[in-house]
Amino acid sequence: MKTIIEPFRIKTVEPIKMTTPEERQGLIERVGFNLFKLPAEDVIIDLLTDSGTSAMSAAQWGALMQGDESYAGARSWYRFERAVKEIFGFEHVIPTHQGRAAERILFSVLVRPGHVVPSNTHFDTTRANIEFAGGRAVDLPAPEAADPASRAPFKGDMDVRALEALIAEVGPERIPVIMLTVTNNSGGGQPVSMANIKAVSRIARTHGIPFYIDACRFAENAWFIKQREPGYADKTPREIAREMFSYADGATMSAKKDAFANIGGFLVTNDGDLAAQERDLLILTEGFPTYGGLAGRDLEAIAVGLDEVLEEDYLNYRIVSTAYVANKLDEAGVPVMLPAGGHAVYLDARRFLPHVPPLAYPGQALSVELYVEGGVRGVEIGTVMFGKDPHTGEEKPAHWDLVRLAIPRRVYTQSHMDYVVEAVAQVYERREEIGGMRIVREPRFLRHFSAEFAWA
């Protein structure tokens, strides 16, 4: 069938508050043109993030009622631990309240001033946690990623030649860990091939460097491998996921993405000594090692979600429905990242607003105009997010300027997405009227969350 349908029925609905463009203009002005500061009720279609915004299933809601809230050794902990081990295959499972907590613990133990941490492309919190520990985050995206319009199948890969060159330049002793994000969120949500995972793993082991996967969208990445990489068409997403993680020494995970949970995450490793250090930090800042800052009901929901996310009917719907939006925009002439990623559609703000220079933040300007036009909230991934070095204060254009429209799992229907396409197309029709922006207030780290803007 040509029509994409959601492979689920809707049992509960939440009303959406409708607003006018004039109302939205006033709302965005009052929060300094920062979409993070908008009250959620004033957003019609919220595509700010797919993190923690999923709709849980009937099975997950049922599991919540079974949550064991014992402080230590709860039944819910053992169910959670078993579910994680069955998919990821690591011996030590350390629960955290979300993914950035897992990152903070990992980098607090491993990273020291002067260290360098390479990745295919670090996301904002990963980069900030590395920099906060005194390290330097280095992005090594595959050459194919330089062209947003290229339809290369695995544009999320790491550039392995650049990785070898970096190791030769700084020395393996200064690289405490190599990170690989699947899918590559800051790189347009593009997948990473199994061949690339193997290659990065081989380089890491040759030089004695730990290799970790940022796994928050691992199921979507596994589906792309099944669909696009020779030799994997007959394998299940679960089998592909197990192979992916078999090449790594550990992983960080935000369960707020590919586990359909509203909160939660974890850190996994086979290194017992490292796990002991991480648990010490966990107790200090998150909670006891059998709950890690999570309620028992959250552990139950994650355990169910990790199983549900690997269902093939769901993954097919998820990837095809996201591609539907990207392809509709492409047909309308709107510059988008192609091929579509799994969790989001990325507008190419530099091509969308070619008259706005990167240091005038075209991605932020486009995000603001999309909200005013249709009440659609996205997020800038570009020079606002990555353009300023928090240590030196130097600012320069980021690798690209994108607007990410992250699609929550099992939340919006196809008609919602058709509305988004229409809103973006209408902004594109008046693109020449849109100017740049300037920052009037910003923090040192992660400025995109709380900076305030004005029109340039």
Side-chain angles (χ1 to χ4, degrees):
M1 303 293 290
K2 293 181 179 179
T3 302
I4 305 162
I5 67 167
E6 291 77 8
F8 48 81
R9 291 189 292 260
I10 298 168
K11 298 177 73 171
T12 303
V13 297
E14 178 183 359
I16 294 174
K17 173 185 171 183
M18 307 304 287
T19 54
T20 66
E22 293 75 22
E23 290 171 330
R24 294 190 291 270
Q25 182 67 52
L27 289 164
I28 195 67
E29 287 178 2
R30 283 199 289 274
V31 296
F33 297 98
N34 189 325
L35 285 88
F36 282 97
K37 294 185 175 184
L38 284 168
E41 68 174 0
D42 292 325
V43 177
I44 294 176
I45 305 291
D46 202 343
L47 307 181
L48 182 72
T49 181
D50 63 318
S51 179
T53 57
S54 299
M56 291 200 300
S57 67
Q60 285 181 294
W61 282 108
L64 259 67
M65 298 303 296
Q66 302 177 48
D68 179 358
E69 305 303 341
S70 302
Y71 184 88
R75 289 188 311 274
S76 300
W77 153 250
Y78 292 109
R79 185 179 183 190
F80 168 88
E81 182 187 41
R82 183 168 60 253
V84 173
K85 285 186 174 182
E86 286 175 356
I87 295 169
F88 291 78
F90 293 98
E91 181 180 354
H92 301 281
V93 179
I94 299 169
T96 60
H97 80 276
Q98 61 179 359
R100 73 188 63 179
E103 294 170 349
R104 180 191 56 78
I105 290 171
L106 177 66
F107 298 136
S108 293
V109 172
L110 292 182
V111 178
R112 296 290 179 269
H115 279 171
V116 176
V117 180
S119 174
N120 47 348
T121 311
H122 293 281
F123 198 58
D124 56 355
T125 58
T126 318
R127 179 181 302 277
N129 274 301
I130 292 167
E131 292 172 343
F132 190 77
R136 178 166 62 94
V138 176
D139 295 336
L140 304 174
E144 296 85 352
D147 180 4
S150 163
R151 292 183 179 268
F154 291 104
K155 289 163 65 174
D157 283 356
M158 184 184 288
D159 186 335
V160 292
R161 290 185 179 180
L163 177 62
E164 288 274 30
L166 179 68
I167 295 170
E169 176 189 349
V170 305
E173 67 281 356
R174 287 184 57 200
I175 301 178
V177 62
I178 296 170
M179 299 293 298
L180 191 68
T181 303
V182 297
T183 56
N184 189 345
N185 189 9
S186 293
Q190 298 295 305
V192 179
S193 66
M194 191 72 80
N196 192 248
I197 295 171
K198 291 180 185 178
V200 173
S201 175
R202 185 167 55 250
I203 292 169
R205 290 177 179 175
T206 297
H207 294 281
I209 302 170
F211 169 44
Y212 270 63
I213 293 176
D214 178 343
C216 57
R217 297 176 183 87
F218 76 97
E220 293 176 4
N221 201 89
W223 185 255
F224 279 119
I225 289 173
K226 178 179 175 66
Q227 297 298 307
R228 298 179 181 177
E229 194 161 359
Y232 290 93
D234 295 331
K235 293 185 179 292
T236 67
R238 184 180 293 268
E239 290 170 336
I240 294 170
R242 280 300 298 265
E243 183 178 345
M244 285 164 52
F245 296 115
S246 73
Y247 301 116
D249 297 297
T252 60
M253 172 77 180
S254 169
K256 296 167 68 177
K257 284 87 169 175
D258 267 0
F260 300 116
N262 302 132
I263 199 68
F266 52 85
L267 183 59
V268 289
T269 181
N270 286 326
D271 187 327
D273 292 336
L274 181 64
Q277 296 178 64
E278 292 168 344
R279 289 193 181 99
D280 288 345
L281 269 178
L282 184 82
I283 293 171
L284 181 65
T285 60
E286 293 283 305
F288 194 70
T290 59
Y291 77 91
L294 294 170
R297 55 184 173 268
D298 298 318
L299 295 170
E300 293 278 358
I302 293 168
V304 174
L306 285 172
D307 185 58
E308 290 182 344
V309 79
L310 290 167
E311 294 174 358
E312 294 199 11
D313 285 343
Y314 161 75
L315 285 169
N316 180 63
Y317 149 76
R318 173 68 169 169
I319 303 307
V320 171
S321 60
T322 301
Y324 169 85
V325 179
N327 293 337
K328 283 285 186 182
L329 289 170
D330 182 50
E331 290 168 9
V334 177
V336 294
M337 173 75 76
L338 295 172
H343 73 288
V345 174
Y346 292 72
L347 308 179
D348 186 344
R350 285 191 190 168
R351 287 195 293 147
F352 199 114
L353 303 175
H355 55 285
V356 179
L359 293 179
Y361 312 123
Q364 189 67 25
L366 177 52
S367 297
V368 168
E369 289 299 323
L370 183 56
Y371 172 72
V372 172
E373 182 71 38
V376 178
R377 177 161 66 170
V379 65
E380 188 264 12
I381 295 184
T383 303
V384 173
M385 187 177 286
F386 297 122
K388 189 168 185 177
D389 188 314
H391 298 292
T392 66
E394 179 187 5
E395 180 149 24
K396 57 184 179 180
H399 180 68
W400 45 37
D401 285 286
L402 306 172
V403 173
R404 186 188 70 179
L405 305 177
I407 304 173
R409 294 161 182 80
R410 305 190 297 205
V411 171
Y412 293 117
T413 66
Q414 183 169 320
S415 62
H416 288 115
M417 294 297 100
D418 285 335
Y419 175 89
V420 170
V421 170
E422 184 177 346
V424 174
Q426 289 179 180
V427 174
Y428 189 62
E429 288 178 2
R430 59 178 179 83
R431 60 192 179 278
E432 294 179 1
E433 304 169 10
I434 301 171
M437 306 199 80
R438 57 188 173 87
I439 294 177
V440 296
R441 193 193 70 79
E442 61 180 306
R444 181 179 175 187
F445 291 98
L446 296 170
R447 66 180 181 177
H448 54 289
F449 285 123
S450 55
E452 294 180 2
F453 302 84
W455 292 108

